Amino acid sequence: MYLTKEEELVLAGEYGYALQKAMEILVALGEIYGADRLIPIKSAQIAGVSYKNIGDAGMEFLRDFADAGAKVSVYTTLNPAGIGDDEFMEKQREVLELYRAMGIETTSTCTPYYGANLPKFGDHLAWSESSAVSFANSIVGARTNREGGPSSLAAAIVGKTPNYGLHLDENRKATVVVKVEAKVRTFVDYSALGYHLGKTLGNDVPYLRRIQPERVEFLKELGAAMAASGSVALYHVEGETPEYRDAVTDKLETITVEESDVKAVREAFSDDWGDIDIILVGCPHASLAEIKEIAELLKMRGRPLKIPLFITASRAVKALADSLGYTETIERYNGRIIADSCLVVSPIKGWYRGIATNSGKSAFYFRSFGFKVRLDDAEKLIKEAP
């Protein structure tokens, strides 16, 4: 991989230990994937935030950089943190302080694009969170690989990332055409479609035909579910996403998604309400429009939920919900908006038996953790919940 003279000096340690170690990570990654050079990035988004995921070894990795005076050189935000008991939260706060010491905005969200970390078409990024990577690549038309926590941190410090994968034009072309015969109209329809496609396609770049999402949140959830059950980091939707016109350049295999495929996903996550003791909305983190919808549904229900409703959202979105009165309404009906956190990366095993959700991503992870799961649209969940 070609390095400029300045990059070679960084690698040799002429600019200090922290930059040298970050550059070593990027060079090793570039050599593994055959990158020709390093390219500048506009922003970074770092995973490896919850203490549940990184543990003491991950904290030592972060402390090594922080103690060496590492500072990020581009705008950088974090993935959600975990929540737990007092001992866990002490460790979690320490993780956040280590990131803050490196100049990172400790806005811990999987939807950084609802805040200040919103890229534009064509921007090169180093993002980690799978759903955010899908959103940036597919819906915005920015360019990022699905980075690991260490590589996104290294890229944030250096301000560059190896030029390979989805940074390259040729790798952003579709590899399979998906003809959607199933009727997908609601949020959970797109969730189930994404779940099915993720399991079917793995890391392909699909080109979807015959869907017309009414809201961008539907596409957000489609990509999140594909990235969770598979590893799809970029998809195109005919007539909808910014790069669809040039996405199909060769004759590609076509697969069809039938109504039975989507129905099978919903049936797989249809555990009885008797096994459910929490409702979770906001995976990925909820938009203000999603929160408004929940508040209105609760008012239509007219009576408090007997089981708690948790809505996870970014700090910025929660602040707007607070100011507009949505939070007060939600709390009146036994709901709560949890900011900058995620139950998927929290040690909640033993707290609950089963979770009702409208998210295919949540359904995938919580079932893999051994929870009972009920997947349905928010309207039905709030209407039918005890």
Side-chain angles (χ1 to χ4, degrees):
M1 184 174 69
Y2 170 77
L3 297 180
T4 66
K5 186 174 182 179
E6 183 179 36
E7 290 165 352
E8 288 178 346
L9 290 173
V10 171
L11 187 61
E14 293 297 321
Y15 292 89
Y17 172 81
L19 273 167
Q20 180 186 28
K21 291 301 178 185
M23 183 62 82
E24 286 176 354
I25 292 172
L26 298 181
V27 169
L29 191 65
E31 290 177 348
I32 290 170
Y33 288 103
D36 60 343
R37 59 193 170 96
L38 298 176
I39 54 174
I41 59 171
K42 293 294 182 67
S43 73
Q45 191 262 354
I46 297 173
V49 179
S50 172
Y51 177 67
K52 175 190 173 186
N53 290 351
I54 69 170
D56 291 331
M59 288 178 65
E60 283 304 312
F61 174 82
L62 297 177
R63 192 175 292 112
D64 189 40
F65 271 110
D67 289 348
K71 298 290 182 182
V72 297
S73 57
V74 296
Y75 188 76
T76 305
T77 57
L78 297 176
N79 224 29
I83 52 176
D85 59 21
D86 289 344
E87 183 179 356
F88 178 91
M89 292 308 297
E90 183 179 350
K91 294 282 192 178
Q92 185 63 81
R93 283 188 287 270
E94 186 176 351
V95 170
L96 294 175
E97 285 302 319
L98 289 169
Y99 279 122
R100 184 178 288 111
M102 290 184 270
I104 296 166
E105 298 283 358
T106 54
T107 52
S108 303
T109 177
C110 52
T111 56
Y113 41 84
Y114 289 150
N117 201 353
L118 174 63
K120 68 180 188 301
F121 183 87
D123 281 351
H124 291 278
L125 318 170
W127 284 17
S128 295
E129 155 61 30
S130 63
S131 68
V133 166
S134 177
F135 190 100
N137 279 321
S138 310
I139 299 172
V140 177
R143 300 186 170 207
T144 179
N145 293 313
R146 183 173 172 177
E147 301 283 355
S151 65
S152 58
L153 176 59
I157 293 168
V158 174
K160 297 181 180 182
T161 194
N163 188 38
Y164 75 96
L166 294 177
H167 293 284
L168 304 174
D169 289 343
E170 59 266 29
N171 294 328
R172 299 182 67 82
K173 306 300 183 184
T175 59
V176 62
V177 172
V178 179
K179 185 180 179 182
V180 182
E181 296 287 359
K183 295 180 178 65
V184 285
R185 299 190 180 95
T186 69
F187 187 94
V188 82
D189 288 340
Y190 281 88
S191 247
L193 173 62
Y195 183 96
H196 170 75
L197 288 175
K199 290 182 73 68
T200 303
L201 300 177
N203 63 352
D204 268 309
V205 178
Y207 182 94
L208 281 70
R209 287 187 168 133
R210 305 188 67 175
I211 61 171
Q212 294 180 309
E214 293 183 3
R215 296 166 51 183
V216 71
E217 286 90 352
F218 293 177
L219 289 177
K220 176 185 78 169
E221 185 55 36
L222 171 70
M226 280 195 284
S229 64
S231 52
V232 175
L234 166 64
Y235 64 90
H236 306 283
V237 178
E238 189 170 58
E240 300 288 341
T241 53
E243 297 176 81
Y244 84 91
R245 288 182 177 86
D246 301 316
V248 179
T249 56
D250 300 306
K251 187 172 183 180
L252 301 174
E253 174 192 4
T254 297
I255 66 170
T256 302
V257 179
E258 305 287 354
E259 191 72 38
S260 58
D261 297 318
V262 174
K263 184 179 179 182
V265 174
R266 299 186 68 156
E267 289 178 347
F269 298 103
S270 57
D271 287 317
D272 189 82
W273 275 109
D275 296 318
I276 304 299
D277 43 21
I278 180 178
I279 302 171
L280 175 64
V281 175
C283 183
H285 278 173
S287 67
L288 187 64
E290 289 175 84
I291 291 175
K292 177 184 179 181
E293 179 184 13
I294 296 299
E296 291 174 346
L297 288 170
L298 287 167
K299 286 193 289 185
M300 290 173 62
R301 174 186 165 96
R303 66 187 191 282
L305 296 158
K306 292 183 180 179
I307 60 176
L309 162 67
F310 289 160
I311 305 169
T312 49
S314 69
R315 192 185 317 165
V317 169
K318 183 182 183 299
L320 287 170
D322 292 348
S323 67
L324 293 170
Y326 303 148
T327 303
E328 181 183 0
T329 298
I330 289 164
E331 290 178 348
R332 193 185 314 145
Y333 291 96
N334 196 24
R336 180 182 175 189
I337 302 175
I338 303 174
D340 283 10
S341 295
C342 173
L343 296 189
V344 169
V345 295
S346 300
I348 65 167
K349 189 68 175 176
W351 295 8
Y352 306 104
R353 294 170 299 144
I355 293 176
T357 182
N358 64 345
S359 163
K361 177 179 179 179
S362 280
F364 171 80
Y365 282 114
F366 284 114
R367 175 62 59 80
S368 70
F369 297 157
F371 288 87
K372 298 288 187 179
V373 178
R374 187 176 186 87
L375 177 66
D376 216 329
D377 281 298
E379 182 177 0
K380 290 195 69 176
L381 294 179
I382 290 174
K383 180 180 178 181
E384 296 176 359

